Amino acid sequence: MGNSDSKLHFRKAVIQLTTKTQPVEASEDVFWDQFWTDVNLTAQDIFTLVPAAEIRAVREESPSNLATLCYKAVERLVLNADSGCVCERDRQAVLSCTRLLTRILPYIFEDPDWRGFFWSTVPKVGKSLDEGDDGSMRPLAESLLTAISDLLFCPDFTVESHSRTSADGPCDIQSIDSCEFIWEAGVGFAHTPPLNHTHDSNRAELLKLLLTCFSEEMYQSPSDTHIPNPWVSFFSSGENRHALPLFTSLLNVVCAYDPVGYGIPYNHLMFSDQRGVLAELALQTLIVSLEQELVDHSKTSTNLSTNTDTCSADYNKNTAAEGRQATRGENLFVNYLSRIHREEDFHFILREIGRLLNNPLLQTYLPHSCKKITFHQELLVLLWKLCDLNKKFLFYVLKSSDVLDILVPILFYLSDCCANQSCVGLVHIGVFILLLLSGERNFGVRLNKPYSVRVPMDISVFAGTHADLLIVVFHKIITSGHQRLQPLYDCMLTIIVNVSPYLKSLSMVAANKLLHLLEVFSSPWFLFCSPVNHHLVFFLLEVFNNIIQYQFDGNFNLVYGIIRKRNLFHQLANLPTDVNSIQKALQKKRSSNSTHNAVFMETNNPYTTACSEGPYKTTPVQTGTLNASLKAMPRIDKLTETSQVSEDGATLLLQQSDSTHSQSDHSSETQDTRESSSGEDDQTSEKEDCDGSLKNVSSSSDWAPTPDWVLSWKSKLPLQTIMRLLQVLVPQVEKICID
């Protein structure tokens, strides 16, 4: 039968289904078989020939026909799975049923009245795996998931047939040990099966249907999201006899995927990469199956009933579904993942995940000559699950030098996506992974490795270590990222706090970034506009204290920056606590909201008599070439932005230039910032960047700062170490400058 004839006959069958007003009995096999028997259509053809409007029309006008269609399609899948798909006609029927169900299921899930349809108890078809009191009845969903799992290890359909399985003709698929048919070598499996694009394509079709089944949760209301997904619960439970080989196959296919191949330029444009499609679907299936860790037996009551009378089957199956879910037990996928322990397995997983994460960062002489993967966000989720569920893997990552191969692509994705609202989830998972890693000493120590491999990032140019890269990227996220990333500020600063005792030498660029964050977060209006904003200042002060106490010798850039910006610390020490000053700071913030960059044009010290300068007025600086000697530098008071500090440490005057410098001023940060004009331009330019993400910080409407509240945390500011450092070093540096 030609392809055009198949389309014509299939379209006629769809029209008959949509126009019939009377229910078609399930026993009329001649009518139902025309949807999958001798039908040779692609998934795109079926999606085109079965329009969404017609599916919804059948659902509303002839619900019994839609219910019977789903039942008959599942029945055909079960029968062919039990028979082992011995002929090409059966295999084509399986693909047609799979594609048809993939098309129809979302429109069943979107209707609340149909949501429990697949969990209704119907007469079993095929062979039963468990014989109990309800041995002759089981939910349609369980039959479908069991059939999909069997078909994923069906010889000559999705896996290679072993010689002994086909010597005596077709064998019973229920007697096959699926652990011998794992798809790819890797964890727990050493044999590499031959590559078969047809098998990969068939696996991909079945995984698409599986993901469609799992997607039912997307159509539920937020109040129902606490209910465990019954599809995932059954698929990852002991009732799925293929749980272990499925877990291993999915993991190994993802890790072993090589998008580059032999390195032939533009090979991905000349040949179809079916293994790449399978790897992405396998990764999505794996992380969805790992998402549901344990079934809470106290919350197993699910809203699976329906009031529709669209099928003769009994839809009221709450009691049976709850009983099955209560006995389902733990998630075997989570169990298997947590029990991986061999170092060679850890090495394989970490090396391959690192290779895939670095794939989009590859630079080639020929543009777009190398295939770039697009499932890096799913890879980060898998890496998070591995580190979170398997502590032995986490320790292996931390002691391995490959951890930096993970860090750099994560920072690349964070830098690339921080301003994109649709990538907020990717930034969250990346920060969470780094937060988990930063809790261990080895991670902080390895950050001291020089950063030499240049990845194309839109950040300031610097020469330093991986720690500098971490700080520069986090600074970019905080100052120019999307406002929905504000809850991550404390996480990012916690990461810096965790690694700070081990950072031997920060570059001038990274040191200036940290001081700029302190300058922004310590402004009075920012501290007073939220009950938690002062925590950010505590984090930054702890970073400075850790570096001064544990790594003072090598961090001369940071110490020099602290001396230059000592007015920030004096301002914090003299932060006003009276009601008038608090209200004055908040009033300045409110009055400046109408101007785009007005927030950071305001003086950061509202309780002094300082007046703001003109838009382009800056601190007078020395002109000429950069001097390498400290003796030729301006006096220390000129290096600290014309701030005047009394003998008792109180700030008497603080002037701050407007943030209206050009892009050339912003790029000056990459130069040696020991030149006073460079440091001045960097800070004012950075204020323009951070305005967008910090100006919108809002406080709760029923909260207002009080003097007692300010005193409660101001007295705990860890300023003693920094003040002692300034007390000792500032006179010495001034003497050097004078001499």
Side-chain angles (χ1 to χ4, degrees), residues 232 235-237 243 247 286-295 329-340 385-386 388-390:
V232 179
F235 180 75
S236 58
S237 71
F247 167 78
L286 182 60
I287 60 177
V288 171
S289 301
L290 291 170
E291 190 62 30
Q292 195 163 301
E293 295 186 15
L294 291 174
V295 174
E330 66 177 335
N331 186 324
L332 292 182
F333 279 57
V334 173
N335 180 274
Y336 298 144
L337 186 73
S338 64
R339 289 166 56 188
I340 299 175
K385 286 295 181 182
L386 282 163
D388 185 44
L389 299 175
N390 193 321

Side-chain angles (χ1 to χ4, degrees), residues 182-233:
I182 292 175
W183 300 348
E184 187 59 68
V187 177
F189 194 69
H191 175 65
T192 302
L195 186 62
N196 189 313
H197 294 292
T198 302
H199 292 172
D200 285 348
S201 177
N202 295 340
R203 294 167 183 167
E205 294 291 344
L206 291 169
L207 290 181
K208 288 177 183 177
L209 175 56
L210 196 59
L211 285 171
T212 305
C213 295
F214 292 165
S215 69
E216 181 181 15
E217 198 168 14
M218 296 171 56
Y219 301 90
Q220 295 179 356
S221 61
S223 60
D224 296 332
T225 54
H226 68 280
I227 301 173
N229 189 328
W231 297 88
V232 179
S233 297

Side-chain angles (χ1 to χ4, degrees), residues 9 93 126 150-151 192 222 306 321 364 377 381 431 460 496 502 520 545 568 644:
H9 286 289
D150 288 339
L151 289 168
T192 302
T306 179
T364 56
Q377 182 166 354
V381 175
V431 171
S460 303
I496 301 177
Y502 315 108
V520 173
N545 288 338
L568 297 177
Q644 299 179 2

Side-chain angles (χ1 to χ4, degrees), residues 100 134 328 347 438 510 580 601 651 704:
L100 186 60
D134 59 339
R328 198 153 287 159
H347 175 70
S438 69
N580 291 335
M601 293 179 186
T651 303

Side-chain angles (χ1 to χ4, degrees), residues 483-522:
Q483 62 179 1
R484 288 181 59 189
L485 298 178
Q486 289 177 6
L488 290 179
Y489 291 174
D490 58 344
C491 291
M492 289 184 281
L493 293 183
T494 300
I495 293 171
I496 301 177
V497 170
N498 290 344
V499 302
S500 58
Y502 315 108
L503 306 184
K504 294 182 178 180
S505 178
L506 289 181
S507 66
M508 182 63 78
V509 174
N512 282 343
K513 299 294 187 184
L514 289 176
L515 288 166
H516 175 248
L517 290 180
L518 179 66
E519 183 176 4
V520 173
F521 292 150
S522 63

Side-chain angles (χ1 to χ4, degrees), residues 223-497:
S223 60
D224 296 332
T225 54
H226 68 280
I227 301 173
N229 189 328
W231 297 88
V232 179
S233 297
F234 179 84
F235 180 75
S236 58
S237 71
E239 296 185 53
N240 182 1
R241 72 184 187 94
H242 302 289
L244 177 57
L246 271 172
F247 167 78
T248 311
S249 297
L250 296 175
L251 180 61
N252 290 349
V253 162
V254 172
C255 292
Y257 173 57
D258 183 10
V260 178
Y262 292 107
I264 301 175
Y266 303 105
N267 60 341
H268 61 286
L269 300 179
M270 296 182 288
F271 309 102
S272 61
D273 185 13
Q274 194 59 46
R275 179 50 65 100
V277 176
L278 176 64
E280 182 170 4
L281 291 170
L283 178 56
Q284 294 172 353
T285 305
L286 182 60
I287 60 177
V288 171
S289 301
L290 291 170
E291 190 62 30
Q292 195 163 301
E293 295 186 15
L294 291 174
V295 174
D296 188 351
H297 299 310
S298 64
K299 297 181 180 180
T300 53
S301 59
T302 55
N303 183 25
L304 298 176
S305 62
T306 179
N307 56 7
T308 182
D309 56 351
T310 60
C311 183
S312 59
D314 180 15
Y315 283 27
N316 299 320
K317 70 320 174 191
N318 273 356
T319 305
E322 292 173 12
R324 289 179 182 274
Q325 196 153 326
T327 60
R328 198 153 287 159
E330 66 177 335
N331 186 324
L332 292 182
F333 279 57
V334 173
N335 180 274
Y336 298 144
L337 186 73
S338 64
R339 289 166 56 188
I340 299 175
H341 62 280
R342 298 192 306 171
E343 285 218 356
E344 52 266 35
D345 292 337
F346 289 155
H347 175 70
F348 168 74
I349 294 173
L350 180 60
R351 182 192 66 209
E352 301 305 326
I353 290 181
R355 177 180 55 81
L356 289 173
L357 285 175
N358 281 279
N359 169 261
L361 282 62
L362 292 177
Q363 299 295 304
T364 56
Y365 290 105
L366 298 175
H368 308 292
S369 62
C370 178
K371 180 176 181 179
K372 304 295 181 68
I373 64 170
T374 58
F375 51 85
H376 48 269
Q377 182 166 354
E378 290 89 341
L379 279 172
L380 291 179
V381 175
L382 177 60
L383 179 62
W384 162 259
K385 286 295 181 182
L386 282 163
C387 294
D388 185 44
L389 299 175
N390 193 321
K391 298 307 177 185
K392 292 181 180 179
F393 177 79
L394 175 61
F395 295 146
Y396 179 85
V397 172
L398 292 168
K399 77 176 184 179
S400 170
S401 59
D402 294 338
V403 66
L404 297 180
D405 294 334
I406 299 292
L407 171 69
V408 174
I410 290 177
L411 294 178
F412 169 79
Y413 297 132
L414 296 185
S415 173
D416 189 53
C417 302
C418 64
N420 189 346
Q421 182 176 358
S422 64
C423 296
V424 168
L426 186 151
V427 178
H428 273 76
I429 196 66
V431 171
F432 290 160
I433 291 174
L434 297 181
L435 181 62
L436 191 63
L437 296 176
S438 69
E440 301 295 332
R441 176 183 179 275
N442 287 342
F443 180 73
V445 172
R446 293 197 180 277
L447 289 180
N448 291 304
K449 182 179 179 181
Y451 175 65
S452 56
V453 180
R454 295 299 169 185
V455 175
M457 297 190 199
D458 185 19
I459 57 175
S460 303
V461 179
F462 69 94
T465 65
H466 286 76
D468 298 315
L469 176 65
L470 179 77
I471 292 173
V472 170
V473 170
F474 280 2
H475 176 272
K476 177 185 176 181
I477 296 174
I478 293 175
T479 57
S480 60
H482 194 272
Q483 62 179 1
R484 288 181 59 189
L485 298 178
Q486 289 177 6
L488 290 179
Y489 291 174
D490 58 344
C491 291
M492 289 184 281
L493 293 183
T494 300
I495 293 171
I496 301 177
V497 170

